[in-house]
Each structure stands twice: as structure tokens, then as C-alpha cells.
Amino acid sequence: AGPARVGVALRTAEESGITQIALPPMGAGFYGVPLADSARITVGAVRKHLNLGATFTQTDASTAHPLFQPSLR
């Protein structure tokens, strides 16, 4: 459910014209998902969103965190 929820959040933000979004470490609190696993899953979901043709300009690409750089090529 985590990656799907991240995708919904990203699509909703994009459709609403939101240009920045913070994603919490899903499951890392009450459910006890290790933080590294939560981060890996979230980054994977963001990469998938970007690879599916999300609106992402060259200006955005130049300021993107290095974790997302491989998705922008």
C-alpha cells in the first residue's frame, strides 16, 4: 500500500499545481517498518512516478536530490 499511496500523493500534488511535497517515512512509526526500508520504498515510488511522465522541468532536474537523478535521464 505504501508505494501506491505515494503515487496517489504525487499525482494529486501535480494535478493541484503543487510544486513541492514532503513525504513522511510511511510505516516507520507505529508499524515498525525500518526507516531504511521506508526510504527505499518511497524513493522507488517517486522514481516510478517520474518515469511515468510526470511533469518535471530541466530546472527541477538541476535541483533534484541525487537519489532521483538516475530517473531523470
Side-chain angles (χ1 to χ4, degrees), residues 2 5 9 12 18 20 28 30 34 43-44 50-51 54 56 69 71:
R5 294 185 191 278
T12 301
I18 295 171
Q20 296 182 6
F30 179 78
V43 167
L50 294 174
N51 287 333
F56 205 71
Q69 292 298 329
S71 297

Side-chain angles (χ1 to χ4, degrees), residues 6-25:
V6 171
V8 169
L10 294 170
R11 280 190 303 279
T12 301
E14 189 172 27
E15 291 166 0
S16 300
I18 295 171
T19 59
Q20 296 182 6
I21 188 169
L23 300 168

Side-chain angles (χ1 to χ4, degrees), residues 26-54:
M26 294 161 85
F30 179 78
Y31 293 105
V33 175
L35 188 55
D37 290 344
S38 178
R40 180 183 46 76
I41 291 166
T42 300
V43 167
V46 172
R47 284 181 170 168
K48 180 178 178 182
H49 178 77
L50 294 174
N51 287 333
L52 291 175

